[in-house]
């Protein structure tokens, strides 16, 4: 691996930053201490700081030279509602919250890159360091966009990175096109007529109707989605009734859907609503259907993916960059930024073998070994893109 000597020297300090953030995890839109820390560091590097987008978001702006190109580099800052089971010294000090997805590491890698770029200024143009809150569950990226992120801080392209447990340190993975799915969430309330369980003919049973709706929804993937496409419809919760001899007045179902293609996403929502409302009405009941498009599909644009591949290849070699990684049905709210600007979302390996642990696990911890590599990727990408304008 080619890592700049200055970033190697910064490794121990970056590790200290990461452990500090890990000890004090904060969840969606409550990243007050984390955003204070990020803003203080950026200001100490001589970077212009703006705060307040999506409540706790931080944007740093670094300009150099006369180039008029601008790029955005994004890191997420929030933790999970999860009880940490690790016993090391930097474990979470907040009950029921932990950095179980590595956002502490993402934040620190971008801070390390910001420090180096502010010191060396080996680029021509503008870098926006975007520290985003609330990636988990509530799509803080969408809120930053609606708060005017790219109107206030224009960029030509935007880039994101996530750690990838289970893969050897010193490797990257990416692909052109969809790399992660949409994540939409639905709730359907079937309203019937309740009554005694011994006299079902005197009721309009929302339990039976709900069962029929669930079965019909499963046919969307098998009969409405092109077999060469991918989609998921999952009913994760069903609530109705309080005792065994009473048919309830209503039943509430909720869950999630996933797709890589926005057209498939549209079709799923429409078909779910049609089936739920139609089946309920056919049985003399009503259905209230709500659908929340919380995470768009994460779709990498071709030219920007080539730039990301080139940056990663320069650091770890062509053989260590998987350029056609299999997309996953997990979701990422960086997708909302990619809907507004071209860009690329890349995976950096977090380590494999004994001691490695997947994200969203109470035993997970970000691998400090990759902090300089991740920071160097951001530096390489920035200098590579913003040097082109000068040439």
């Amino acid at each position: 691996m080619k890592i700049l000597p200055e970033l190697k020297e910064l490794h121990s300090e970056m590790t200290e930053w990461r452990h500090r953030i890990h000890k004090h995890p904060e969840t969606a839109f409550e990243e007050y201490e984390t955003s204070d820390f990020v803003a203080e560091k950026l200001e100490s590097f001589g970077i212009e700081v703006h705060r307040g987008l999506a409540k706790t978001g931080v944007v740093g702006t670094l300009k150099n030279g006369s180039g008029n190109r601008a790029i955005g580099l994004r890191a997420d800052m929030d933790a999970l509602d999860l009880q940490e089971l690790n016993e090391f010294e930097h474990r979470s000090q907040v009950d029921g919250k932990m950095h179980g997805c590595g956002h502490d590491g993402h934040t620190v890698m971008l801070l390390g890159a910001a420090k180096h770029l502010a010191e060396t200024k080996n680029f021509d143009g503008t870098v926006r360091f975007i520290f985003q809150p609330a990636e988990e569950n509530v799509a803080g990226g969408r809120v930053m966009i609606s708060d005017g992120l790219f109107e206030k801080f224009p960029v030509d392209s935007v880039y994101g990175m996530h750690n990838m447990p289970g893969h050897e340190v010193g490797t990257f993975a990416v692909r052109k096109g969809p790399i992660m799915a949409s994540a939409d969430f639905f709730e359907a309330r079937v309203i019937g007529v309740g009554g005694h369980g011994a006299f079902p003919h005197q009721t309009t049973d929302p339990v039976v109707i709900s069962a029929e709706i669930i079965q019909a929804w499963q046919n969307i993937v098998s009969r409405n989605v092109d077999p060469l496409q991918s989609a998921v419809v999952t009913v994760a919760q069903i609530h109705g009734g309080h005792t065994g001899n009473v048919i309830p007045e209503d039943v509430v179902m909720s869950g999630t859907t996933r797709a890589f293609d926005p057209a498939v996403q549209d079709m799923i929502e429409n078909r779910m609503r049609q089936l739920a409302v139609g089946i309920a009405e056919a049985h003399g009941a009503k259905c209230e259907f709500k659908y929340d498009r919380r995470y768009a599909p994460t779709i990498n644009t071709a030219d920007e993916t080539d730039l990301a591949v080139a940056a990663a290849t320069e650091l770890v070699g062509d053989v260590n960059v998987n350029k056609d990684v299999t997309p996953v049905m997990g979701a990422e709210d960086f997708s909302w930024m990619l809907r507004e600007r071209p860009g690329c979302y890349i995976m950096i390996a977090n380590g494999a073998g004994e001691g490695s642990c997947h994200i969203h696990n109470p035993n997970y911890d970000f691998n400090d070994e990759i902090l300089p590599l991740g920071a160097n990727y951001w530096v390489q990408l920035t200098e590579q893109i913003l040097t082109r304008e000068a040439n």
Side-chain angles (χ1 to χ4, degrees), residues 22 79-80 82 98-103 136 358-361 364:
H22 191 94
L80 289 164
L82 184 65
M98 74 168 288
H99 271 289
C101 199
H103 297 182
E136 301 287 354
H358 285 283
I359 57 175
H360 291 226
N361 183 298
Y364 169 87

Side-chain angles (χ1 to χ4, degrees), residues 26-32 53-56 78 133-134 138-141 143:
E26 298 170 301
T27 49
F29 302 120
E30 296 179 349
E31 302 92 342
Y32 300 111
L53 287 181
K55 194 173 183 179
T56 49
D78 58 319
V138 292
V143 179

Side-chain angles (χ1 to χ4, degrees), residues 175-184 225-226 228-232 257-266 268 295-300 325-332 335 339 347:
R175 73 187 307 272
K176 296 177 181 179
I179 189 169
M180 299 185 78
S182 61
D184 297 339
V225 177
D226 186 325
L228 298 181
Q229 293 271 21
S230 299
V232 171
T257 70
R258 308 291 167 118
F260 294 118
D261 186 337
V264 174
Q265 190 182 13
D266 291 342
I268 290 173
Y295 295 78
T298 304
I299 302 175
N300 289 334
V325 68
T326 302
V328 297
M329 281 293 176
E332 165 61 58
S335 57
R339 281 166 61 100
M347 304 293 184

Side-chain angles (χ1 to χ4, degrees), residues 205-247:
D205 190 343
V207 176
V208 173
I209 297 168
S210 297
E212 188 173 333
I213 291 171
I214 292 171
Q215 286 293 103
W217 280 346
Q218 299 312 303
N219 289 334
I220 294 173
V221 174
S222 66
R223 288 298 176 266
N224 297 132
V225 177
D226 186 325
L228 298 181
Q229 293 271 21
S230 299
V232 171
V233 176
T234 294
V235 179
Q237 295 186 72
I238 306 174
H239 299 282
H242 301 284
T243 187
N245 64 344
V246 176
I247 292 171

